[in-house]
Amino acid sequence: DDPFEPDQPPRFGVSLGAVDMPIEPVMDLARSAFVVLPVWSAATETRDPTAEIERLRPLVGRLLDRRVEPMFRIGAVPARLANAVRIESDDALGLFALEESRWRPALEPWLLAFGQRVDQWLIGSQPVDADRPDLATRLSGIARTMGSAVAGPLVTVPWAPEEPVPADLAAAVERERHVLEFVADAAWREGGAEVYEGFAAGARGMVRIVPLPAGLVDDGERAIDLALRAIDAWRAGFDAVSVEVREESLPPVPGPALELAAWRQISTRLCGRRFVADIPIAEGVRAVLADGARGPALVLWSDAGEREVAVDVDLGTQPVRATDLWGRSRVLPPTTRGHALRVGREPLFVEGVSREMCLLRTGFRVDPVFAESRRAPQEGVLVLANPWTRTLAGTLTVLGPAALEISPKTHRFDIAPGGEVRIPVSFSVPRSTEAGAIPIEVEVSGTADEPFRARLSSPLEVGYRKAVVDPSWRLARSIESGAIDLVLTLRVTNVSDAPIDVEAFAGADGYVSDRKLVSTLAPGATAVRAFHFKDGARRLSGREIRAGVHDPESDARLLKRVPVPALLPPAAGVAGVDPNR
């Protein structure tokens, strides 16, 4: 009963490894908007292709009747033809570098049979050599030849995402309606959606997701990995994303392949919806907003390992429907704390959300986003943007953190549609504050379309503008006592454009804080200072060291807490040291 509109991009489909696979069950389970059929392989008969064409003709008709677009892949050169023209069978693109008279007679029966029903023809299965000469010219030649039988053919070649697209090929793709198919294997997810930056997206690019090999990890992990890589491709703005399905990856017993069940949810929930924005929800939770003619949806998953994260987030005044990667749905009513979500490693699709309430979370920020730890009060601004098409009025109350002593705490505002308000505040950063991001939390009570209350958060980065500090430690046996000492090394690097004078320091409970000067450190230079902790393997086991640098001139302080694992049973007691020293 899920709504599904395959005519609206982005669309999701399947790319089959063999044409004699059980195609329709795969297509139905994956909820495909298009199917890539491998019509040529090394085993294809080219002398008399009538039987193969007639076997394929009713399948193409059924796909079109169901509004599923067929695409053809010339995956390999048939063996007989490859021998005749003396090229490798897996070099499908190389075939079309030959004179047309050498390959046209073999391909023509397919063009005549399906040219008016199939628009997109993919040449090859493996990514082409990016250094291959005349790629743009070759694609244009194939399109011209096919144009006699196919009205406006879309010629597509596989491409390795790690290879930059040559300028002449990129221009030809845009100008002549060619398509690049980016073959995304499992290793290509490391950079997220950003790895596709600079490539032709939209209608000029498509992505083929190659699942992890069967048996490498369990089926659930394969499905989750597949879904996250598909979300990356969708987020990058491609019009078409397919999953590669090979017969050896299907279950050995009757039943659905788990990755195809996951693909069904990707296809159903994201088809016709475009990426809008990343939405800050909670630490360890990724959330992206999708929107389109079918209304907004929020896609969430956890980066917090195997642990499921419980979050309460205000997504509007109406109940929302949350569907997990396996198709299990539940309706969640709003509560005084928002909608109660449980987010695991697998994506969760939440529909019925308020687009504006989601964007409100992205419209809150701290300016500037960087502050130094020093005794004197500092000035900053809380920025709140109005995503509604009408005036937003209400109050903003600072909830924390209490240690920063942000004041004033409460502010009234009126924000024009699409505008923002800048709220001046003062705060102080205690010297015991560790360098890193600190969440500034506020509660907004307001009225736009209707009254609402939402808790928002934005990070404030605490550090030192002029230097970075890299701590490390090692153990060393004392010649005098025989105890195992701990030696902490601080690498201090000047990242400013002028020399600096700072004090490097290190201390821990039970030890007096030690300071060492770093004088006239040139821009880009690094100074190393070592700090000795006697009997540190025993006395600091399972504890931490406080280390960093202090700028006496500005009173700025950068503090890092260095944890020491449980090396030995700790001492029964240690003398306390003021952590603010």
Side-chain angles (χ1 to χ4, degrees):
D1 297 329
D2 294 329
F4 187 64
E5 302 176 27
D7 291 337
Q8 298 182 14
R11 302 181 305 152
F12 297 83
V14 295
S15 179
L16 301 180
V19 76
D20 56 354
M21 291 175 59
I23 294 173
E24 293 189 65
V26 168
M27 180 187 68
D28 288 342
L29 178 60
R31 207 83 178 262
S32 303
F34 63 90
V35 175
V36 180
L37 301 170
V39 295
W40 264 21
S41 68
T44 300
E45 178 57 62
T46 56
R47 287 187 304 180
D48 184 10
T50 304
E52 293 189 40
I53 289 175
E54 292 306 315
R55 187 163 56 245
L56 190 60
R57 199 187 298 272
L59 173 59
V60 171
R62 289 197 299 273
L63 292 176
L64 292 171
D65 289 343
R66 298 173 60 173
R67 299 175 62 196
V68 176
E69 180 185 0
M71 302 177 184
F72 278 6
R73 184 187 300 279
I74 300 175
V77 182
R80 187 181 300 277
L81 177 60
N83 290 333
V85 299
R86 297 183 180 179
I87 66 170
E88 296 294 330
S89 181
D90 60 358
D91 189 11
L93 188 61
L95 175 68
F96 297 97
L98 305 176
E99 294 181 5
E100 184 179 335
S101 60
R102 304 185 69 183
W103 54 264
R104 177 66 183 254
L107 185 60
E108 193 158 46
W110 301 86
L111 294 174
L112 294 176
F114 301 106
Q116 300 303 308
R117 311 178 82 185
V118 178
D119 295 328
Q120 191 158 343
W121 295 66
L122 294 85
I123 312 300
S125 296
Q126 298 303 315
V128 300
D129 182 358
D131 297 325
R132 200 162 191 161
D134 302 326
L135 272 175
T137 303
R138 193 171 302 179
L139 288 185
S140 299
I142 297 171
R144 283 195 302 271
T145 301
M146 287 187 171
S148 62
V150 181
L154 297 174
V155 179
T156 304
V157 293
W159 195 267
E162 64 270 17
E163 294 287 350
V165 180
D168 61 336
L169 179 59
V173 164
E174 290 294 336
R175 181 179 62 251
E176 302 183 28
R177 299 179 68 243
H178 303 316
V179 179
L180 295 181
E181 180 195 41
F182 297 98
V183 183
D185 59 20
W188 193 239
R189 193 185 174 257
E190 295 302 319
E194 289 72 19
V195 299
Y196 295 107
E197 289 182 0
F199 296 118
R204 302 280 69 85
M206 63 187 299
V207 177
R208 175 175 20 128
I209 308 293
V210 181
L212 291 170
L216 182 65
V217 295
D218 66 58
D219 288 344
E221 287 300 315
R222 290 181 73 227
I224 292 172
D225 169 80
L226 182 77
L228 293 178
R229 286 192 283 136
I231 290 172
D232 287 339
W234 162 79
R235 186 174 173 273
F238 290 90
D239 275 9
V241 184
S242 71
V243 57
E244 182 176 276
V245 180
R246 297 190 174 273
E247 204 155 21
E248 60 266 24
S249 69
L250 297 179
V253 297
L258 199 56
E259 65 266 26
L260 294 187
W263 194 260
R264 179 187 184 90
Q265 296 308 317
I266 293 288
S267 179
T268 302
R269 308 300 162 192
L270 296 183
C271 177
R273 288 176 167 137
R274 293 290 192 185
F275 167 75
V276 176
D278 290 295
I279 307 299
I281 296 293
E283 184 177 358
V285 174
R286 290 285 309 280
V288 293
L289 178 63
D291 200 4
R294 300 165 55 204
L298 196 62
V299 187
L300 309 96
W301 66 95
S302 170
D303 287 332
E306 299 295 328
R307 182 171 59 88
E308 191 176 61
V309 179
V311 293
D312 294 306
V313 54
D314 193 335
L315 301 175
T317 59
Q318 301 299 317
V320 298
R321 177 176 293 275
T323 305
D324 67 15
L325 192 59
W326 324 117
R328 297 172 295 194
S329 290
R330 55 198 176 106
V331 175
L332 304 174
T335 69
T336 55
R337 296 181 59 85
H339 294 84
L341 305 176
R342 300 194 66 84
V343 184
R345 291 190 59 250
E346 65 275 14
L348 179 72
F349 306 91
V350 184
E351 296 172 293
V353 303
S354 164
R355 174 190 170 104
E356 290 77 14
M357 286 300 297
C358 291
L359 292 178
L360 181 70
R361 309 185 74 84
T362 67
F364 172 65
R365 69 183 190 277
V366 181
D367 186 21
V369 297
F370 189 91
E372 292 182 333
S373 174
R374 48 189 167 87
R375 294 184 180 91
Q378 302 180 56
E379 303 298 322
V381 173
L382 304 180
V383 183
L384 182 66
N386 177 10
W388 279 273
T389 57
R390 60 182 62 191
T391 299
L392 172 63
T395 59
L396 181 148
T397 303
V398 177
L399 301 179
L404 297 190
E405 299 180 351
I406 300 174
S407 64
K409 294 288 188 184
T410 302
H411 311 263
R412 290 199 56 81
F413 60 80
D414 288 277
I415 313 175
E420 66 178 27
V421 64
R422 299 178 61 85
I423 301 171
V425 294
S426 65
F427 61 93
S428 59
V429 182
R431 292 165 58 80
S432 59
T433 304
E434 184 178 8
I438 299 177
I440 306 300
E441 297 184 346
V442 301
E443 182 177 82
V444 175
S445 299
T447 301
D449 289 335
E450 50 193 354
F452 69 88
R453 176 176 295 176
R455 293 172 66 106
L456 310 178
S457 177
S458 182
L460 174 68
E461 190 71 25
V462 173
Y464 178 48
R465 290 183 175 87
K466 297 181 180 180
V468 296
V469 172
D470 180 26
S472 61
W473 58 270
R474 61 183 175 85
L475 299 177
R477 185 175 294 277
S478 171
I479 297 177
E480 298 176 353
S481 66
I484 301 177
D485 299 343
L486 187 147
V487 179
L488 178 82
T489 301
L490 279 187
R491 294 176 59 86
V492 182
T493 302
N494 182 354
V495 294
S496 71
D497 55 4
I500 61 172
D501 296 296
V502 295
E503 294 177 338
F505 66 86
D509 291 348
Y511 294 88
V512 176
S513 183
D514 191 7
R515 291 176 170 81
K516 297 187 178 182
L517 291 177
V518 178
S519 300
T520 321
L521 185 63
T526 298
V528 179
R529 297 293 183 267
F531 299 87
H532 203 99
F533 293 86
K534 292 183 178 181
D535 197 17
R538 180 178 64 87
R539 296 175 63 188
L540 293 175
S541 181
R543 301 180 185 275
E544 67 178 19
I545 301 171
R546 298 177 291 276
V549 294
H550 174 239
D551 184 342
E553 182 179 355
S554 66
D555 194 35
R557 189 172 192 255
L558 184 152
L559 172 66
K560 289 198 170 184
R561 299 180 186 274
V562 184
V564 179
L567 303 171
L568 296 171
V574 294
V577 174
D578 182 1
N580 293 324
R581 289 184 56 188

